[in-house]
Amino acid sequence: MISVRIQEGDFDPGAELARLEGLGGGALASFIGLVRSDGGLIDMELEHYPGMTLKAVEAIVAEAVHRWPLLGVGVIHRHGRLKVGDRIVFVGVTSPRRAAALEACAFLIDWLKTGAPFWKRERFADGRARWVEACASDDAAVARWVEA
Amino acid sequence: MISVRIQEGDFDPGAELARLEGLGGGALASFIGLVRSDGGLIDMELEHYPGMTLKAVEAIVAEAVHRWPLLGVGVIHRHGRLKVGDRIVFVGVTSPRRAAALEACAFLIDWLKTGAPFWKRERFADGRARWVEACASDDAAVARWVEA
Amino acid sequence: MPLELLYFAWVREAIGKGGESVLCPDGIDTVDSLIGWLAQRGGGYAEAFADRARLRAAVDQAFVPLDASIVGAREVALFPPVTGG
Amino acid sequence: MPLELLYFAWVREAIGKGGESVLCPDGIDTVDSLIGWLAQRGGGYAEAFADRARLRAAVDQAFVPLDASIVGAREVALFPPVTGG
């Protein structure tokens, strides 16, 4: 039971978890990313590559399903204008095994940071705006999932 | 914002996540454990040590807060009679940092398995009943969190 | 001073009760020696405490190894390895 | 055959549009050579493509290194490192 959605609108974490809970796994790990107010940030514009985004995310999910015994995966990634406190991304994974659920969830969010075609432009209270730079710690986070 | 509850009743994962989402962290990792139907299991009785359970779990949470920059932690562990599909445990952690949220969530659920005074007695469709044995993989999962 | 004993899971089932108050004789000053003393009662006690590798303990609501002291303790709990989460 | 180019994030902003259709001259057969050819147009193109270390690419909607071939490609996208999640 795989569900991947790329959408402008918000989502309901409780409803997403409820769907995954119903799949019979004993372990359900999830991650939600939200817009923080760091440095006076007001909102951000999340741009993406419409023709490619869904299949890029689906490929990442397929890799997770290949590596871990998963009963269900849900990924939602928003785009468009997002203000402080808004949800950006949801990852939920259910498995019979706790470690599999936790690891696959971490794998997916790490890969979404570096392997899905999204770009964030932040706007601040003082009028500044900037494109978020990719950061080395994200590359390092993904590097640990590269199989020998 | 730490909340630890040991209770017989069910909980609402969506409401737990909503509370943690409101704390201003950009990253919210959570884990839900549910009763699986393995081997014809019907239900289980979760016994605990009433005088000790809450403080044991609070000590584990305090250790997580000491190790990672967390803005909020929620732990709910149920006891009593739980049937297949019922929720057993919730762990939710929010942090400014994704890796901190994911790691602290894994740390907490690993420790709840081996460091909180709960015991599970399973009942099966064929009339068998058995106390769940502690398993080596749980000890191994916890061992990786032991600081050098 | 009486010592409160608590039993959980199959230790409780084997003994047939969730706890009791005891007065320990001299020389019973560790969890280990307490277990040996209780096992000598035979029956469910002997069954519950037959294999120490399967036993864990808490003294005054803190997990301890079986060689821990119980001197001055008010409450000792004996139980199998925990299986929460 | 025309090649569809797509620009994202600050590459799009520097160039001033989200994409365009181009006919590549002979010899423009890798992403790298395509970037060099576009940069020669000057202005926003020169600005967008000044530092290749800050550029990433997809050919026909798959991420590729900059030395990848574009022979036979229908769509090439040029953009900064992604920052999703």
XYZ file of all heavy atoms in Angstrom, chain B residues 47-49 51-52 55 77 88-89 112-121 131-134, chain C residues 6-10 12-13 54 58 60-63 75-77 79-85:
384
model
N 0.999 -6.083 31.598
C 1.150 -5.832 33.030
C 2.255 -4.794 33.226
O 3.193 -4.718 32.433
C 1.553 -7.162 33.686
C 1.657 -7.123 35.191
C 1.866 -8.525 35.773
O 1.521 -9.526 35.092
O 2.390 -8.641 36.886
N 2.146 -4.013 34.272
C 3.257 -3.096 34.558
C 3.425 -2.937 36.064
O 2.709 -3.573 36.845
C 3.072 -1.747 33.849
C 2.073 -0.831 34.492
N 2.397 0.425 34.923
C 0.768 -1.002 34.784
C 1.315 0.992 35.452
N 0.320 0.157 35.371
N 4.377 -2.152 36.449
C 4.761 -1.950 37.849
C 4.309 -0.532 38.222
O 5.053 0.430 38.032
C 6.277 -2.086 37.939
C 6.948 -2.020 39.297
C 8.286 -2.387 39.411
C 6.297 -1.591 40.452
C 8.955 -2.337 40.626
C 6.945 -1.530 41.679
C 8.276 -1.903 41.763
O 8.941 -1.834 42.971
N 4.019 1.519 40.624
C 4.786 2.492 41.391
C 6.025 2.998 40.677
O 6.569 4.051 40.995
N 6.456 2.248 39.695
C 7.742 2.534 39.063
C 7.650 3.006 37.618
O 8.539 3.722 37.135
C 8.596 1.265 39.108
C 9.966 1.412 38.486
S 10.914 -0.138 38.630
C 12.302 0.253 37.546
N 7.985 6.815 36.549
C 9.306 7.429 36.765
C 10.382 6.788 35.893
O 11.319 7.474 35.469
C 9.694 7.484 38.236
C 9.899 6.214 38.937
C 10.333 6.537 40.400
C 9.584 5.694 41.385
N 9.887 5.961 42.779
N 2.184 5.078 27.043
C 2.288 3.613 27.028
C 1.045 3.060 27.703
O 0.732 3.425 28.835
C 3.543 3.151 27.760
C 4.016 1.804 27.322
N 3.200 0.682 27.324
C 5.210 1.391 26.841
C 3.895 -0.356 26.876
N 5.106 0.054 26.571
N -0.420 0.281 21.292
C 0.254 -0.026 22.559
C 1.001 1.197 23.068
O 0.938 1.538 24.238
C 1.283 -1.174 22.376
C 0.630 -2.413 21.779
C 1.957 -1.490 23.712
C 1.645 -3.476 21.347
N 1.725 1.827 22.164
C 2.658 2.867 22.603
C 2.768 3.967 21.549
O 2.652 3.701 20.342
C 4.044 2.233 22.895
C 4.636 1.588 21.656
C 5.029 3.220 23.497
N 12.222 1.987 25.666
C 10.961 1.542 26.282
C 10.857 0.022 26.256
O 10.264 -0.584 27.145
C 9.768 2.162 25.550
C 9.538 3.644 25.831
C 8.464 4.196 24.905
C 9.133 3.853 27.296
N 11.448 -0.581 25.212
C 11.417 -2.046 25.098
C 12.203 -2.734 26.207
O 11.903 -3.866 26.577
C 12.027 -2.483 23.755
C 11.187 -2.129 22.557
C 10.407 -3.337 22.086
C 9.367 -2.922 21.064
N 8.421 -4.002 20.775
N 13.235 -2.100 26.678
C 14.153 -2.791 27.590
C 14.327 -2.079 28.931
O 14.931 -2.642 29.830
C 15.561 -2.913 26.958
O 16.052 -1.584 26.733
C 15.526 -3.678 25.648
N 13.788 -0.874 29.065
C 14.049 -0.107 30.272
C 12.813 0.367 31.012
O 12.915 1.167 31.938
N 11.649 -0.118 30.612
C 10.420 0.260 31.325
C 9.750 -1.029 31.793
O 9.730 -2.029 31.075
C 9.497 1.061 30.405
N 9.208 -1.026 33.018
C 8.708 -2.272 33.615
C 7.320 -2.677 33.102
O 6.325 -2.487 33.785
C 8.700 -1.952 35.112
C 8.528 -0.469 35.189
C 9.188 0.100 33.974
N 7.324 -3.228 31.887
C 6.119 -3.788 31.286
C 6.379 -5.245 30.926
O 7.498 -5.612 30.553
C 5.761 -3.042 29.990
C 5.232 -1.657 30.195
C 6.081 -0.565 30.119
C 3.891 -1.442 30.440
C 5.587 0.728 30.291
C 3.393 -0.156 30.609
C 4.248 0.929 30.546
N 5.314 -6.030 31.006
C 5.405 -7.440 30.600
C 4.157 -7.792 29.812
O 3.040 -7.474 30.233
C 5.512 -8.340 31.829
C 6.716 -8.041 32.651
C 7.961 -8.577 32.488
C 6.818 -7.111 33.733
N 8.827 -8.038 33.410
C 8.149 -7.134 34.186
C 5.911 -6.244 34.361
C 8.603 -6.333 35.230
C 6.348 -5.446 35.399
C 7.682 -5.496 35.826
N 4.377 -8.496 28.691
C 3.257 -8.830 27.800
C 2.919 -10.315 27.889
O 3.787 -11.166 27.707
C 3.640 -8.538 26.346
C 3.854 -7.089 26.007
C 4.032 -6.922 24.505
C 4.318 -5.474 24.137
N 5.619 -5.314 23.482
N 1.650 -10.596 28.104
C 1.175 -11.976 28.072
C 0.214 -12.104 26.897
O -0.828 -11.454 26.852
C 0.447 -12.311 29.370
C 0.036 -13.773 29.472
C -0.504 -14.036 30.876
N -0.821 -15.426 31.078
C -2.021 -15.963 30.772
N -2.964 -15.229 30.244
N -2.243 -17.243 30.995
N 3.921 -15.722 28.122
C 4.593 -14.455 28.400
C 5.631 -14.220 27.312
O 6.439 -15.104 27.004
C 5.252 -14.490 29.771
C 4.239 -14.475 30.868
C 3.724 -15.549 31.531
C 3.579 -13.322 31.395
N 2.792 -15.145 32.440
C 2.676 -13.774 32.386
C 3.651 -11.945 31.132
C 1.859 -12.905 33.106
C 2.853 -11.078 31.857
C 1.963 -11.549 32.827
N 5.602 -13.044 26.723
C 6.585 -12.708 25.697
C 7.976 -12.713 26.323
O 8.169 -12.194 27.422
C 6.279 -11.322 25.093
C 7.364 -10.901 24.111
C 4.912 -11.348 24.404
N 8.914 -13.328 25.644
C 10.304 -13.338 26.120
C 11.023 -12.088 25.619
O 10.823 -11.664 24.480
C 11.044 -14.560 25.549
C 10.427 -15.883 25.924
C 11.122 -16.505 27.134
O 12.269 -16.121 27.422
O 10.498 -17.363 27.781
N 11.846 -11.528 26.447
C 12.704 -10.435 25.990
C 13.572 -10.975 24.864
O 13.979 -12.140 24.890
C 13.578 -9.938 27.136
N 7.382 -7.448 45.657
C 6.411 -7.400 44.553
C 6.843 -8.398 43.495
O 8.047 -8.524 43.205
C 6.350 -5.998 43.946
C 5.802 -4.887 44.851
C 6.023 -3.530 44.199
C 4.314 -5.115 45.126
N 5.862 -9.109 42.930
C 6.155 -10.085 41.882
C 5.362 -9.714 40.635
O 4.182 -9.349 40.731
C 5.731 -11.486 42.330
C 6.254 -11.868 43.692
C 5.384 -12.286 44.700
C 7.615 -11.806 43.986
C 5.844 -12.638 45.963
C 8.088 -12.151 45.246
C 7.210 -12.561 46.230
O 7.676 -12.904 47.470
N 6.006 -9.839 39.475
C 5.309 -9.516 38.230
C 5.429 -10.648 37.211
O 6.351 -11.472 37.272
C 5.870 -8.223 37.616
C 5.578 -7.005 38.457
C 6.574 -6.415 39.211
C 4.295 -6.463 38.510
C 6.312 -5.295 39.999
C 4.016 -5.351 39.293
C 5.023 -4.766 40.038
N 4.476 -10.642 36.291
C 4.448 -11.568 35.145
C 4.462 -13.017 35.645
O 3.742 -13.351 36.566
C 5.588 -11.238 34.178
N 5.287 -13.896 35.030
C 5.203 -15.304 35.427
C 5.777 -15.575 36.813
O 5.468 -16.607 37.423
C 5.769 -16.266 34.382
C 7.152 -15.974 33.882
C 7.466 -15.460 32.663
C 8.403 -16.211 34.559
N 8.828 -15.326 32.529
C 9.428 -15.792 33.676
C 8.749 -16.706 35.803
C 10.788 -15.867 34.015
C 10.106 -16.785 36.148
C 11.099 -16.361 35.255
N 4.921 -13.695 39.381
C 3.672 -13.515 40.118
C 2.762 -14.739 39.956
O 2.187 -15.245 40.935
C 2.957 -12.252 39.614
C 1.559 -12.045 40.179
C 0.874 -10.790 39.627
N 0.825 -10.734 38.170
C 0.045 -11.510 37.407
N -0.762 -12.389 37.978
N 0.072 -11.389 36.093
N 2.657 -15.220 38.712
C 1.763 -16.360 38.476
C 2.230 -17.614 39.222
O 1.424 -18.360 39.779
C 1.658 -16.656 36.987
C 0.834 -15.615 36.236
C 0.576 -16.019 34.791
O 1.445 -16.692 34.188
O -0.490 -15.650 34.278
N 16.910 -15.840 34.249
C 15.637 -15.325 33.726
C 15.006 -14.289 34.659
O 13.876 -13.880 34.438
C 14.658 -16.486 33.516
C 15.175 -17.524 32.516
C 14.166 -18.647 32.345
N 12.937 -18.156 31.707
C 11.747 -18.732 31.819
N 11.597 -19.814 32.561
N 10.692 -18.246 31.199
N 14.166 -4.915 40.902
C 14.227 -3.482 41.189
C 14.212 -3.330 42.702
O 13.477 -4.031 43.403
C 13.042 -2.750 40.575
N 13.566 -0.531 45.592
C 12.950 0.785 45.763
C 12.710 1.456 44.406
O 13.015 2.635 44.195
C 13.779 1.662 46.703
C 13.694 1.135 48.139
O 12.687 0.475 48.484
O 14.645 1.354 48.901
N 12.172 0.637 43.490
C 11.707 1.120 42.187
C 12.804 1.620 41.262
O 12.580 2.498 40.417
C 10.604 2.175 42.392
C 9.481 1.608 43.272
C 8.336 2.573 43.530
O 8.392 3.730 43.138
N 7.275 2.068 44.149
N 14.002 1.054 41.426
C 15.080 1.302 40.464
C 15.653 -0.058 40.057
O 15.909 -0.912 40.916
C 16.170 2.171 41.076
N 15.836 -0.273 38.745
C 16.429 -1.536 38.293
C 17.817 -1.708 38.897
O 18.591 -0.754 38.965
C 16.561 -1.556 36.765
C 15.246 -1.595 36.046
C 14.866 -0.556 35.200
C 14.378 -2.676 36.198
C 13.658 -0.591 34.526
C 13.165 -2.718 35.530
C 12.798 -1.668 34.695
N 11.280 -1.727 49.397
C 10.491 -2.461 48.405
C 11.432 -3.143 47.416
O 12.325 -2.495 46.860
C 9.570 -1.479 47.672
C 8.670 -2.083 46.611
C 7.700 -1.032 46.043
O 6.942 -0.433 46.837
O 7.720 -0.797 44.820
N 11.253 -4.439 47.237
C 12.033 -5.185 46.242
C 11.053 -5.873 45.298
O 10.129 -6.560 45.751
C 12.946 -6.230 46.892
C 13.648 -7.065 45.813
C 13.991 -5.557 47.781
N 11.255 -5.672 43.996
C 10.396 -6.316 43.004
C 11.218 -7.334 42.224
O 12.377 -7.081 41.892
C 9.806 -5.280 42.053
N 11.042 -10.089 38.887
C 10.255 -10.236 37.658
C 11.141 -10.721 36.526
O 12.380 -10.690 36.644
C 9.614 -8.888 37.292
C 10.528 -7.699 37.437
C 11.510 -7.420 36.502
C 10.420 -6.849 38.547
C 12.346 -6.314 36.630
C 11.270 -5.745 38.688
C 12.227 -5.479 37.728
N 10.552 -11.152 35.405
C 11.348 -11.518 34.233
C 11.836 -10.262 33.518
O 11.361 -9.159 33.807
C 10.344 -12.261 33.332
C 9.041 -12.279 34.044
C 9.102 -11.344 35.196
N 12.744 -10.415 32.552
C 13.157 -9.275 31.729
C 11.929 -8.580 31.151
O 10.972 -9.234 30.739
C 13.997 -9.924 30.627
C 14.580 -11.145 31.285
C 13.505 -11.642 32.203
N 11.969 -7.269 31.100
C 10.796 -6.499 30.661
C 10.587 -6.625 29.151
O 11.522 -6.882 28.387
C 10.936 -5.012 31.060
C 11.085 -4.893 32.574
C 12.098 -4.351 30.338
N 9.338 -6.453 28.746
C 8.983 -6.586 27.323
C 7.948 -5.530 26.941
O 6.895 -5.834 26.393
C 8.410 -7.987 27.035
O 7.283 -8.203 27.905
C 9.433 -9.069 27.293
N 8.279 -4.283 27.232
C 7.362 -3.202 26.886
C 7.542 -2.737 25.453
O 8.151 -3.410 24.626
N 7.008 -1.567 25.190
C 7.160 -0.954 23.868
C 6.221 -1.541 22.847
O 5.502 -2.472 23.099
